[in-house]
Amino acid sequence: MRIYNRPDMMGHTMEFMDDCPNLYERFRYRDIFSCNIMEGFWIFYEHPNYRGRQYILRPGDYRACGDWGCQNPMVGSFRRMRTVIPDPSRVYKGLVQPTEMYTVTMGKYNGNYKMKIFERSDFGGQNMELSDDCPDLSELFHTRDISSVNVMEGYWILHEHPHYRGRQFFLHPGEYRRHSEWGSNSPTIGSLRRITELN
């Protein structure tokens, strides 16, 4: 991918093919206003060392930071999406602890998708089973709070706001007993969708 410190692919630029834990040390600029993702999927993080808000970018041109759902151009680190086999010592009751990054390889994922969302932690309260994308969760679920999730099949992305905007959270099959287990500080989710293809 290629990043730029100005909108519309202008200004200083740098090309990356691998992860970058601290963008300031490599690029010398705190802001990325636009980028061109030529191959693969990438995750942008608001702060260095893969912390803060996350944004998943697929191949294409992003002429302004708003194109990937960000309100400001500050990016502290980024990494490629790839398969990571969890360290068995970090797995507890089928869950990979948050320090592990678990993503998927490129290819088609047009199999089955099924997840169950719950209003309260530990799979309590109002719940609903989903097998398709949902652009506005409050219309379907009548609340924007999801405090626990059981992903039975497929890979999913939860978005902070409706219509796939805002901070994103990547979920692979498994049980998430509280929102902190998918990396969120809040149970508020506005929309969700399946990952059907990485190319």
Side-chain angles (χ1 to χ4, degrees):
M1 75 164 172
R2 196 171 287 130
I3 60 173
Y4 302 83
N5 75 329
R6 294 281 179 262
D8 295 317
M9 319 299 187
M10 302 291 285
H12 293 277
T13 183
M14 183 175 272
E15 192 168 300
F16 289 86
M17 296 187 303
D18 208 344
D19 301 353
C20 180
N22 191 330
L23 184 62
Y24 315 142
E25 292 177 356
R26 299 265 311 269
F27 191 48
R28 297 182 307 154
Y29 297 95
R30 293 182 57 86
D31 298 332
I32 296 178
F33 279 87
S34 56
C35 68
N36 175 14
I37 307 293
M38 295 168 277
E39 293 182 39
F41 278 48
W42 295 75
I43 305 174
F44 281 8
Y45 295 81
E46 186 178 19
H47 302 300
N49 300 312
Y50 316 118
R51 294 178 301 108
R53 293 179 182 269
Q54 306 165 22
Y55 303 92
I56 297 176
L57 283 70
R58 64 182 62 235
D61 290 341
Y62 298 83
R63 298 192 166 277
C65 61
D67 291 350
W68 63 79
C70 188
Q71 300 299 318
N72 67 65
M74 190 165 62
V75 175
S77 53
F78 51 76
R79 63 181 5 150
R80 299 165 299 137
M81 292 184 74
R82 62 191 182 278
T83 300
V84 174
I85 299 172
D87 176 349
S89 68
R90 294 180 181 263
V91 177
Y92 176 71
K93 293 185 179 176
L95 292 174
V96 181
Q97 294 179 4
T99 52
E100 282 295 308
M101 183 67 189
Y102 189 100
T103 53
V104 294
T105 54
M106 291 184 283
K108 292 186 182 295
Y109 293 84
N110 294 320
N112 296 323
Y113 294 85
K114 192 191 312 184
M115 71 185 299
K116 197 166 189 178
I117 58 175
F118 298 83
E119 182 183 14
R120 298 200 196 328
S121 298
D122 294 314
F123 314 116
Q126 177 181 236
N127 64 79
M128 176 179 283
E129 191 171 295
L130 299 162
S131 58
D132 206 350
D133 300 352
C134 177
D136 191 338
L137 190 62
S138 60
E139 288 182 0
L140 186 67
F141 196 47
H142 307 297
T143 179
R144 286 187 56 195
D145 286 348
I146 298 178
S147 293
S148 53
V149 172
N150 180 10
V151 179
M152 294 166 273
E153 297 181 82
Y155 296 85
W156 298 76
I157 299 176
L158 305 182
H159 294 259
E160 187 179 21
H161 303 302
H163 304 291
Y164 316 119
R165 294 178 299 108
R167 192 174 182 189
Q168 305 168 11
F169 305 96
F170 175 77
L171 277 67
H172 59 84
E175 294 183 344
Y176 301 80
R177 294 187 170 275
R178 56 196 53 81
H179 57 81
S180 60
E181 290 181 354
W182 61 78
S184 179
N185 295 321
S186 160
T188 302
I189 298 295
S191 51
L192 52 90
R193 62 179 161 188
R194 302 159 299 148
I195 293 181
T196 57
E197 187 171 348
L198 297 180
N199 51 29

